[in-house]
Amino acid sequence: MTSTGTGIRLDAPAPGWAIDADVVVVGSGVAGLTAALRCTAAGLATVVVTKARLDDGSTRWAQGGIAAALGEGDTPEQHLDDTLVAGAGLCDEDAVRLLVTEGPDAVRRLIATGAHFDTDDSGAISLTREGGHHRRRIAHAGGDATGAEISRALVEAVRTQAVRTIENALVLDLLKDGHGRTAGITLHVMGEGQHDGVGAVHAPAVVLATGGMGQVFSATTNPSVSTGDGVALALRAGAEISDLEFVQFHPTVLFLGADSEGQQPLVSEAVRGEGAHLVDAAGTRFMLGQHELAELAPRDIVAKAITRQMQAQGAEHMYLDARHFGAGMWEQRFPTILAACRSHGIDPVTEPIPVAPAAHYASGGIRTDLRGRTTVPGLYACGEVACTGVHGANRLASNSLLEGLVFAENIAADILANPGGPTPTQVQGKAVAADPLDGPVPLLDPAARIRIQRIMTNGAGVLRSAASLAEAAARLEEIHADERKAAVPGVEAWETTNLLLVARVLVAAAAAREETRGCHWREDRPDRDDTDWRRHLVVRITPGRSLDIRPTTSATFPPTVAATPLEP
C-alpha cells in the first residue's frame, strides 16, 4: 500500500523549469556523492542537487576520521561491540553488523576513488582511537582534515565522471505520481546555479543525503546549511521519522563566549584520543573514576560530565589540556584545530583550551531499512538525515562517515536491482507535490529563526526535563501560530519553516521518552528504563496535520513497507 502523504507542502511558486533523470541525489557529502557515483557508474542518469557548493556540506568539517576494523588484531565483531555499547541498547544489531562487516572494504573503495589517508613509516594507514573505541581503528587524513580530504576526492570523481550537478539549490518538496510513489523533487536555485528560481527534477528514485539539523540550536558544530531540510521534506511527504530526540552534543567545542551563536569550532575527539585531559580551572582532571575510559568514554557520558562540572562550579566552560603534546605534534597532527584556536587568541601549545558541549550530530532522522529505503516508495535516505538503526541512542565516534559510505552503496545497489516505478518520460507532467489535496504551509518570518534556536538550546539542549520541554513546546507553538502571518517565499523563510517543524518533532519525542538514555538526558528521569523504553519512537504527520508519535514494540525497527494512511 502506498503512502498518501500529508497533504501539505511549502508555499512556493510553481516550477518554471524541469529536467528528467533516473535518480536525483539531494546532498553532496560522503553519502550523497557516493550514491551518485555508484549510480552513474552503472549507467543511470543521475543528478546531484546541493544547497551550496559541492564541497560545502558537513563532510568537509569532519576532523576525527572514519572508523573501520582495518588494524592488526581488530575485527568487525569488536567494532560491533563498541557500537552497541555506545548506542545504549537501541542499535539495530543487523544494521550495525552490516556497517562493520562491509565497512573495511567500503573504505578501501574510497581509497581507490582517490582519498589519501595518513600512513606510518611502513606505508600502512595510521590509526588512532576516539571515545568509546577499545582499539585504534580511526583512519585520518591531513592530521585532522579527514572530511576535507574525503570531500575533495569525491568531488573530483564526480567532476571527472561528469555527473550532472545543480549547486546553490534548496530542495523544497517531494513530487509524487498519482499512485503515491516518488516522482522527483521541487527545488529553488539561488543565484549562481545552472537554473533560476523554482524548478523540478523528475525521477522515480530520490536519495536524500541532506545532512543534519544542528542549526536548530543556538550553538552547533554544523555548517549554516544544516537546517533539517531533508527531515522536514520527508515529514511533509508522509515518511516516518525516528529517534529525533537523540541529538549528540559534542563534549569539546571551542568556547567563544556565552552569547556566541551559529557554527562553533570543533576540537576533535581525536585530541583526547592522543592523550589530552579534561580539567577544570584548577587543573583537576574530573573524568577519572567516572568511566573506565575516562576522557575517552562515549560522548554522551563526557558531555554530561562536563555539564555537571560546569553546574557544580558555576562555570561557563571547562578546559582541554594538551600542552604536553608540544608544538611539533600540534602542528603535524592537528593543524586545523591549532589554527582555529590561534585565530581566536588561544594557543593550545602553551595554554589549556576552553571547551563546552554544543549540538553536533543527529542520531535520528528519516527511518530506513538496510537498503536505505524509507516508508515512501522510491524515496531513500542516507547519512546524517537518515535513521538506519546504526547509532541507537548515541553515535559512536567516527561511525558517521562509514555509515554514509556503506548505506549509500546499498542504496545504489537497490536502485539498480529494483528500478521500479515509471520511467522519467512517463513521470514528466504527471507528478504532483504531496498529493491532489495538498495545500501550502504558511511560511515563517525569518526573524523567528533565532527565537527557535534559543528555545531549543534552553529547553531541549544537554539538560532536559518535563518542565523545560513543556516550556519549549509551548513557545514553539506560539511561533507556529504566527504562521498565519505568512512571510514571502524565499530561502530564509523556507529554512526557518523547516527548522520549526523539526524542532517541534524533536521536543515532542524528547517529552514522550520519559527516561535518560544515551545522549537524551532527562534530569527528572535520570535512570535508563529498559522495561518500558528499550524501543524507538516513530513520528509521522497525519493528514490532519498533527503529529502522531508511536513507540515500536522492541529495539528492532519494523520493516519499512509503505506506511498505511493515518486517520485525521
Side-chain angles (χ1 to χ4, degrees):
M1 182 175 291
T2 58
S3 168
T4 61
T6 63
I8 57 176
R9 59 180 171 83
L10 288 175
D11 186 7
W17 54 269
I19 60 176
D20 295 335
D22 295 319
V23 183
V24 56
V25 177
V26 187
S28 60
V30 61
L33 294 188
T34 297
L37 286 168
R38 297 295 180 270
C39 289
T40 300
L44 295 179
T46 305
V47 174
V48 173
V49 173
T50 187
K51 195 172 180 181
R53 307 298 292 181
L54 276 179
D55 62 350
D56 278 345
S58 294
T59 290
R60 76 181 181 96
W61 296 99
Q63 296 175 344
I66 185 166
L70 297 166
E72 183 177 354
D74 197 5
T75 65
E77 200 69 25
Q78 293 177 68
H79 190 182
L80 180 143
D81 289 343
D82 285 345
T83 301
L84 295 180
V85 170
L90 275 191
C91 295
D92 185 309
E93 188 166 339
D94 288 340
V96 179
R97 193 170 297 281
L98 174 74
L99 178 83
V100 300
T101 302
E102 297 188 3
D105 283 343
V107 172
R108 295 183 185 103
R109 285 189 289 273
L110 178 62
I111 293 171
T113 301
H116 302 291
F117 290 94
D118 296 339
T119 57
D120 59 24
D121 293 339
S122 69
I125 296 176
S126 297
L127 300 172
T128 189
R129 280 182 66 194
E130 292 185 0
H133 293 273
H134 283 79
R135 283 190 173 271
R136 286 182 170 266
R137 64 168 66 98
I138 316 299
H140 49 84
D144 58 358
T146 309
E149 170 57 18
I150 290 174
S151 180
R152 180 207 62 77
L154 292 174
V155 168
E156 185 174 304
V158 162
R159 288 174 174 156
T160 298
Q161 292 192 26
V163 180
R164 186 169 189 176
T165 61
I166 303 176
E167 297 182 306
N168 303 297
L170 172 65
V171 66
L172 299 176
D173 278 300
L174 190 71
L175 294 171
K176 292 184 178 181
D177 63 19
H179 302 287
R181 182 184 170 84
T182 294
I185 58 166
T186 55
L187 68 160
H188 174 79
V189 179
M190 300 173 278
E192 299 178 9
Q194 300 173 13
H195 305 275
D196 294 320
V198 175
V201 180
H202 295 146
V206 171
V207 181
L208 293 179
T210 53
M213 56 183 190
Q215 290 291 326
V216 79
F217 294 95
S218 297
T220 178
T221 63
N222 289 195
S224 60
V225 295
S226 298
T227 51
D229 307 315
V231 169
L233 175 151
L235 280 164
R236 290 192 296 271
E240 292 182 351
I241 306 299
S242 188
D243 297 354
L244 215 61
E245 67 271 31
F246 296 117
V247 177
Q248 188 177 82
F249 288 80
H250 198 287
T252 53
V253 176
L254 183 62
F255 181 77
L256 301 179
D259 297 327
S260 295
E261 296 181 329
Q263 186 178 11
Q264 311 289 301
L266 176 67
V267 182
S268 169
E269 195 151 5
V271 178
R272 282 175 281 137
E274 296 292 351
H277 302 144
L278 283 165
V279 299
D280 61 16
T284 303
R285 290 179 66 182
F286 53 85
M287 284 304 301
L288 296 176
Q290 296 206 34
H291 190 275
E292 60 168 328
L293 295 176
E295 280 90 356
L296 287 178
R299 289 177 176 175
D300 63 301
I301 293 172
V302 180
K304 292 172 188 176
I306 291 174
T307 304
R308 287 185 180 124
Q309 201 74 5
M310 288 163 53
Q311 286 183 324
Q313 298 185 2
E316 293 181 326
H317 61 82
M318 290 289 111
Y319 293 91
L320 187 65
D321 192 351
R323 289 175 290 179
H324 54 285
F325 284 6
M329 181 174 174
W330 268 110
E331 291 166 0
Q332 180 178 2
R333 181 67 179 85
F334 301 110
T336 306
I337 299 170
L338 178 64
C341 289
R342 284 178 169 171
S343 71
H344 291 285
I346 299 155
D347 189 351
V349 177
T350 60
E351 59 186 320
I353 306 168
V355 293
H360 182 55
Y361 189 89
S363 293
I366 308 166
R367 189 169 80 80
T368 75
D369 63 12
L370 300 187
R371 300 178 192 177
R373 298 178 298 190
T374 74
T375 52
V376 174
L379 179 64
Y380 297 82
C382 58
E384 190 173 354
V385 74
C387 182
T388 63
V390 160
H391 305 306
N394 187 38
R395 175 178 70 98
L396 181 65
S398 288
N399 267 355
S400 55
L401 293 175
L402 189 71
E403 183 195 31
L405 274 181
V406 169
F407 282 84
E409 291 186 342
N410 280 315
I411 285 174
D414 190 75
I415 292 172
L416 291 168
N418 305 285
T423 65
T425 54
Q426 291 172 323
V427 170
Q428 189 171 11
K430 296 183 180 180
V432 294
D435 56 42
L437 300 177
D438 63 357
V441 175
L443 301 176
L444 286 179
D445 185 330
R449 178 169 177 155
I450 294 177
R451 289 173 59 198
I452 294 168
Q453 292 171 329
R454 290 176 179 171
I455 290 168
M456 292 299 291
T457 294
N458 292 333
V462 178
L463 306 177
R464 299 171 178 176
S465 67
S468 75
L469 291 167
E471 173 68 15
R475 295 182 63 192
L476 291 173
E477 286 306 310
E478 291 175 0
I479 296 175
H480 179 58
D482 287 342
E483 283 183 334
R484 295 182 181 86
K485 304 172 185 177
V488 176
V491 173
E492 292 184 348
W494 289 321
E495 284 185 334
T496 305
T497 303
N498 284 340
L499 282 172
L500 178 63
L501 176 56
V502 171
R504 293 175 65 215
V505 173
L506 193 161
V507 168
R513 182 172 289 279
E514 297 181 334
E515 64 158 356
T516 287
R517 183 184 297 271
C519 52
H520 170 66
W521 182 16
R522 287 280 298 262
E523 292 182 283
D524 56 329
R525 301 278 185 167
D527 298 322
R528 172 170 153 175
D529 179 1
D530 281 345
T531 301
D532 293 328
W533 284 109
R534 195 179 176 196
R535 60 191 69 199
H536 304 273
L537 288 173
V538 175
V539 184
R540 293 180 62 208
I541 296 181
T542 71
R545 302 195 180 194
S546 63
L547 295 181
D548 180 87
I549 305 178
R550 301 176 181 177
T552 59
T553 57
S554 71
T556 301
F557 276 130
T560 54
V561 294
T564 55
L566 295 170
E567 293 297 324

